[in-house]
Amino acid sequence: MARIAAMILLLSVIFPFNDLNVSSAALLTECAYIGEEESNSFYQDGDVVVGGVFPLHYTRVSSLPLYSSKPEPGSYKFFSARALRWMQTMTFAIREINQRSDLLPELRLGFHIRDSCNEVPVSLKASLLLVNGQPVPPTTGNGSLEAVRELSGKWDLISLASRPPVLGCADVTRSPSPVIIGDASSGVSMALLRSLGPFQIPLVSYFASCSCLSEQTEFPMFMRTMPSDAFQVRALARLVSHFGWTWVGVLGQESDYARFAVQLFLQESSLYGVCAAYVHHFPVVLSQKPLDKLLDIIQGSSSKVIINFCSETEVQSIMRAIQQRNITGIQWIAGEAWATVKSLWEEFGDLLSGTLGFGIRRAEEIPGLKQHLSRLRRSNLQDSAFLTEFWEESLNCRLNGSVNTHSHINNHLDRMPCSGMEDLNDVYSAFSDVSQLRVSYNVYKAVYLVAHALQRMIDCEAGQGPFVNGTCGKPQSLEPWQLFHYMKNTKFSILGEKVDFDHNGDPIASYDLMNWRREQDGSLRLLKVGFYDASLSPELSLVVNESAIQWPVGQQAVRSVCSESCPPGKRVARRKGKPVCCFDCVTCAEGEVSTNTDSLDCTRCPEDMWPNDMRNLCLQKNVEFLSYKEPMAFGISFALCISCLLAKTVVVLMAFRATLPGSGVMKWFGPSQQRASVLVCTVVQGSICLIWLLTYPPFTNSNTGYLRNTIIIECATGSEVGFWCVLGYIGLLACLCFFMAFLARELPDNFNEAKFITFSMLIFFAVWITFIPVYCYIIIFKPAKNSKKNIMRK
């Protein structure tokens, strides 16, 4: 049923239904190939024929349809020797498996390979031919035509003579393929899956990396040996972050692959503080106008690093335009689609020297593949038009009786005849270059995936199978969906590598970081300078050997930032309306520091610390205090001194006031009484101080707000009442002393101590009144005088 339904699609692609009056009911009981027979394929029969689709041609020559005649088959500018190597790797793997005794010993694999031309319509037509089998032209009259007449009842009014032969089911001599290995492009693969998916025909891609293909609800019959872009963009984001490139340009063609890759990269790179200077998608067909727009964007940006998600063809067009404008000094970061494409070097080596890119995991060697490729000789070229075309393209000659019908840059009919002395070893070709077996290795693994799945089907025991009633499936009557079930659950080892797939059908990603180096002879060397392994933890997943990298300019990586980093001592100030990577650097405010590069905020130093001049370190503040060794006038000392003066003044004054002879007043002012009065006055002050110390004593206070870089350890009064009582008592004694001295001011000169006492009290009051203003003046305006050395010198 799947085959018949696919046949309907095939008919609609090859020949429109409105050209025939054929009922759909009839088509469900019989089948017919309508249109021109497609002979340009590569086929080998087998018990199971594995289909293959490869982009052997690319870049269609554009032409306007005339609508007056049937369009001619598409013409293409280029033939891909690299894709031919992929195709030959598939045939090599199948022949290798057929020769093994431990894998499918009783089953012979075949292959049926077609060209996709990297286009959806061509690839869709090729895949439908693969899954339905390949017809051959009838040898007699129009027997098949009669069969179609019986189905349709009658023809429309069309000249039957103008129609090509109509081929029916009986003419199919090439077995249908239950699985297709292909295609290289993500966009083409998506189109194939949408067409073949409803018929449960599995597709195994060797180069389609779009993360969108991992969506199993939309593409349930898809697997691949190529890692998903979800892993590639993580590797690229880590790479640009590793080198401090926070301002990068991002390019991609207008395709599903590039759109998804760019979107994922922007999301992933933002986690590492990377910004896109620009994001530009260019059309698949790069004419001069979109090229000029692209180059204007590149030249107008300050970014020196460009990540390019596109294929080899688009890179050629871009580099050719950049070469014409003489744009240099760019660090190119290649997507895996062109990270190891050596064919770009010959023309654009000066521009691409120093390029970095992640290449998919490489096989050091596929034993026997090089010999298989080198067996291509003139004698076996007629096996396939693809091989003939490659020979003529590489050696620029025309074979006698050539089956090649394609022309590219030059008309193939104008070439000189091949002499028979030509040798492929005399020219470089990507076909025979086995130094970078990456995509070829993926093709190799895809074939072995199918083989191991078939082996599991064969090994399944009846009654214990995964299907209804424990059935297993049989290779002799193979259903594609059964094969896909075994493929999804297959694990195997190949060339020392364990091949495993996740629930989405994706392999675990591992990439080599490649550097494009110019050798002394001018040739290209793709040097591995690191790797990315998605199975490792994020901090260990990327390893880079920077000393081995050859840079585009100079001996070190270019700088590509929107704003230079803010050093410690400054903070980042965002520019309004600009990406987060564009900012200004602002010095930390007073009392604040920043210790890291590109700090978003400054932090305030602790109270006992202060920033240094660079504002990147908090230093301990200087500590100043009054030493107990310095002369200090305490409250009790003042009370003692003034009490002595008061007692002396009272004695002198009473001696002159006691005028009556024999008066006993002076007996109350003898030496003992004087000492007692001094002691009492001092004890009162001592009692006040004692009560103060017992209730709320003074304490040390670190004053950090007076001077910004100095801590002043000062004595806090504790109880304000106690403090003012001490001062008040001293003031009371001073007032009494002053009053007594004032009364004794007119005593005879022989007793002029009272005058001195009066003068002393006046000075005492003056000092107390002016002490604080003078003290502050010296500290603030004359700090040099406020030192022990200066005072002692005077």
Side-chain angles (χ1 to χ4, degrees):
M1 186 69 178
R3 178 182 171 186
I4 295 175
M7 183 68 67
I8 298 174
L9 287 177
L10 175 62
L11 291 172
S12 66
V13 172
I14 299 178
F15 205 86
F17 278 136
N18 58 4
D19 288 347
L20 287 174
N21 186 13
V22 181
S23 67
S24 60
L27 287 174
L28 291 176
T29 58
E30 295 288 343
C31 58
Y33 286 92
I34 305 174
E36 296 180 353
E37 185 255 341
E38 294 285 338
S39 61
N40 207 7
S41 64
F42 202 25
Y43 182 82
Q44 176 179 295
D45 201 9
D47 299 321
V48 176
V49 176
V50 181
V53 182
F54 297 90
L56 298 173
H57 295 89
Y58 58 96
T59 310
R60 176 190 283 267
V61 177
S62 59
S63 61
L64 294 175
L66 299 177
Y67 301 105
S68 60
S69 62
K70 181 179 178 179
E72 294 294 327
S75 179
Y76 298 87
K77 292 183 179 180
F78 305 107
F79 180 83
S80 175
R82 185 171 175 233
L84 184 65
R85 169 163 41 88
W86 304 343
M87 184 192 85
Q88 287 293 84
T89 303
M90 176 177 170
T91 66
F92 167 75
I94 288 176
R95 289 169 180 170
E96 183 181 71
I97 292 170
N98 287 336
Q99 294 171 3
R100 292 179 58 166
S101 59
D102 60 334
L103 183 61
L104 302 180
E106 300 178 357
L107 192 69
R108 181 174 178 81
L109 295 182
F111 56 79
H112 190 181
I113 299 173
R114 289 192 162 273
D115 183 10
S116 72
C117 297
N118 201 34
E119 284 191 336
V120 170
V122 178
S123 184
L124 180 58
K125 182 177 180 179
S127 63
L128 289 172
L129 286 170
L130 294 178
V131 299
N132 285 284
Q134 173 68 38
V136 295
T139 57
T140 60
N142 59 353
S144 298
L145 184 60
E146 293 298 329
V148 175
R149 279 180 174 174
E150 292 179 4
L151 288 174
S152 61
K154 64 178 180 178
W155 289 96
D156 284 339
L157 298 178
I158 306 173
S159 174
L160 296 180
S162 65
R163 292 293 183 185
V166 180
L167 308 175
C169 297
D171 298 309
V172 175
T173 60
R174 296 186 175 181
S175 302
S177 298
V179 60
I180 295 178
I181 294 178
D183 191 12
S185 165
S186 295
V188 174
S189 296
M190 291 170 68
L192 296 184
L193 286 165
R194 290 191 174 105
S195 300
L196 302 179
F199 308 117
Q200 296 183 309
I201 298 174
L203 193 74
V204 184
S205 178
Y206 48 84
F207 206 20
S209 60
C210 182
S211 59
C212 55
L213 290 166
S214 299
E215 184 55 57
Q216 289 290 290
T217 57
E218 187 175 1
F219 307 111
M221 302 300 291
F222 179 72
M223 290 185 71
R224 54 184 160 189
T225 52
M226 174 74 186
S228 166
D229 278 335
F231 299 105
Q232 180 196 185
V233 296
R234 289 173 194 165
L236 290 172
R238 288 291 312 278
L239 180 68
V240 296
S241 174
H242 175 83
F243 289 111
W245 297 326
T246 59
W247 192 238
V248 299
V250 184
L251 302 179
Q253 65 183 133
E254 292 177 347
S255 65
D256 293 322
Y257 158 71
R259 289 193 192 96
F260 278 92
V262 169
Q263 182 181 6
L264 286 173
F265 175 78
L266 296 177
Q267 294 173 355
E268 190 71 23
S269 61
S270 65
L271 302 177
Y272 299 96
V274 178
C275 301
Y278 54 86
V279 177
H280 182 69
H281 290 276
F282 49 83
V284 176
V285 180
L286 271 171
S287 59
Q288 192 59 44
K289 186 175 180 180
L291 271 175
D292 289 338
K293 181 178 180 181
L294 171 60
L295 297 188
D296 290 341
I297 292 174
I298 292 176
Q299 286 185 303
S301 173
S302 59
S303 173
K304 298 298 181 183
V305 176
I306 300 179
I307 300 174
N308 193 357
F309 295 100
C310 68
S311 62
E312 173 185 353
T313 308
E314 288 73 35
V315 175
Q316 287 177 341
S317 301
I318 294 172
M319 290 301 160
R320 195 169 289 114
I322 285 179
Q323 200 173 53
Q324 292 173 354
R325 285 209 191 181
N326 196 26
I327 301 175
T328 59
I330 294 177
Q331 174 67 64
W332 290 99
I333 306 296
E336 98 279 299
W338 65 278
T340 57
V341 179
K342 287 187 173 182
S343 59
L344 296 168
W345 181 260
E346 182 177 354
E347 187 177 356
F348 311 112
D350 292 338
L351 297 175
L352 294 176
S353 178
T355 294
L356 291 172
F358 285 103
I360 53 181
R361 186 166 184 175
R362 177 172 71 100
E364 294 294 335
E365 180 187 11
I366 299 179
L369 178 61
K370 185 175 182 180
Q371 292 76 10
H372 177 76
L373 297 176
S374 64
R375 288 180 188 148
L376 185 60
R377 293 289 183 269
R378 184 174 176 175
S379 58
N380 58 9
L381 290 179
Q382 303 301 333
D383 293 347
S384 169
F386 301 142
L387 301 178
T388 304
E389 183 177 358
F390 164 66
W391 184 277
E392 294 181 351
E393 286 289 321
S394 301
L395 299 174
N396 195 26
C397 65
R398 178 76 175 169
L399 290 168
N400 185 27
S402 173
V403 294
N404 176 24
T405 59
H406 288 93
S407 60
H408 303 289
I409 302 300
N410 300 314
N411 191 336
H412 63 292
L413 298 176
D414 296 336
R415 292 192 175 108
M416 295 294 292
C418 296
S419 65
M421 303 299 294
E422 293 84 5
D423 190 342
L424 283 177
N425 294 323
D426 296 335
V427 295
Y428 170 78
S429 173
F431 173 77
S432 55
D433 186 353
V434 293
S435 63
Q436 297 291 328
L437 295 177
R438 300 179 188 277
V439 183
S440 298
Y441 185 38
N442 281 354
V443 174
Y444 189 71
K445 287 189 288 188
V447 174
Y448 268 87
L449 169 63
V450 175
H452 280 280
L454 287 169
Q455 186 64 56
R456 289 194 63 198
M457 181 182 291
I458 294 172
D459 295 339
C460 177
E461 296 183 6
Q464 299 181 8
F467 309 122
V468 178
N469 298 325
T471 56
C472 297
K474 298 179 180 180
Q476 294 77 13
S477 57
L478 185 62
E479 291 290 340
W481 62 270
Q482 294 177 334
L483 175 61
F484 184 73
H485 173 83
Y486 285 102
M487 289 166 56
K488 286 277 287 186
N489 296 280
T490 295
K491 299 178 183 179
F492 59 96
S493 296
I494 186 170
L495 301 182
E497 178 193 356
K498 292 183 178 179
V499 181
D500 194 4
F501 302 89
D502 62 17
H503 64 285
N504 293 323
D506 294 332
I508 305 302
S510 178
Y511 299 96
D512 293 335
L513 179 60
M514 309 304 297
N515 181 221
W516 293 42
R517 296 176 61 93
R518 179 182 292 278
E519 296 294 87
Q520 292 182 353
D521 60 357
S523 63
L524 168 65
R525 182 186 178 193
L526 287 174
L527 180 65
K528 180 179 176 181
V529 294
F531 67 87
Y532 178 85
D533 191 341
S535 64
L536 302 177
S537 59
E539 61 273 9
L540 301 176
S541 58
L542 177 66
V543 175
V544 180
N545 181 9
E546 294 187 37
S547 61
I549 296 177
Q550 183 180 95
W551 301 104
V553 180
Q555 302 298 318
Q556 58 185 5
V558 299
R559 291 281 294 166
S560 187
V561 295
C562 182
S563 299
E564 292 296 333
S565 296
C566 293
K570 296 186 178 182
R571 65 174 178 85
V572 170
R574 305 293 188 198
R575 294 177 185 171
K576 188 176 181 180
K578 297 293 183 179
V580 294
C581 298
C582 301
F583 50 81
D584 297 312
C585 295
V586 179
T587 303
C588 291
E590 187 173 288
E592 296 181 343
V593 296
S594 65
T595 57
N596 298 321
T597 301
D598 289 336
S599 295
L600 297 178
D601 296 295
C602 297
T603 56
R604 180 164 292 278
C605 289
E607 289 294 327
D608 60 342
M609 305 185 80
W610 190 255
N612 60 354
D613 293 338
M614 298 296 293
R615 308 253 172 124
N616 60 0
L617 183 65
C618 288
L619 301 177
Q620 198 71 36
K621 287 184 177 180
N622 297 325
V623 179
E624 292 187 0
F625 55 89
L626 293 175
S627 172
Y628 70 93
K629 296 180 180 179
E630 301 285 343
M632 294 184 62
F634 297 100
I636 297 176
S637 302
F638 271 99
L640 176 62
C641 295
I642 297 175
S643 298
C644 293
L645 292 175
L646 180 60
K648 179 65 176 176
T649 306
V650 170
V651 169
V652 172
L653 183 61
M654 293 306 298
F656 281 93
R657 291 296 177 93
T659 54
L660 296 176
S663 174
V665 175
M666 291 303 298
K667 68 180 179 180
W668 297 103
F669 296 96
S672 299
Q673 287 77 10
Q674 293 177 32
R675 296 188 188 94
S677 63
V678 170
L679 179 61
V680 170
C681 292
T682 304
V683 168
V684 172
Q685 182 71 300
S687 300
I688 295 173
C689 291
L690 181 61
I691 295 171
W692 179 14
L693 293 175
L694 292 175
T695 55
Y696 192 4
F699 57 90
T700 58
N701 178 52
S702 297
N703 188 340
T704 59
Y706 188 70
L707 297 176
R708 65 184 183 90
N709 59 351
T710 303
I711 299 175
I712 300 177
I713 299 180
E714 57 189 11
C715 182
T717 57
S719 173
E720 297 290 335
V721 175
F723 175 74
W724 289 110
C725 286
V726 170
L727 293 182
Y729 183 72
I730 294 172
L732 175 63
L733 293 179
C735 290
L736 289 175
C737 187
F738 177 76
F739 177 72
M740 293 297 177
F742 178 79
L743 294 178
R745 69 186 183 285
E746 296 180 354
L747 294 178
D749 292 339
N750 293 339
F751 302 95
N752 60 3
E753 291 148 336
K755 294 180 181 181
F756 298 135
I757 294 173
T758 304
F759 179 75
S760 298
M761 291 299 102
L762 289 174
I763 295 301
F764 180 80
F765 280 113
V767 168
W768 275 74
I769 293 172
T770 61
F771 173 76
I772 294 178
V774 171
Y775 182 78
C776 294
Y777 171 79
I778 293 175
I779 289 177
I780 298 174
F781 298 105
K782 303 290 183 180
K785 294 183 177 181
N786 188 31
S787 64
K788 181 176 181 180
K789 181 179 179 181
N790 186 63
I791 295 174
M792 295 298 292
R793 185 172 64 250
K794 293 183 177 180

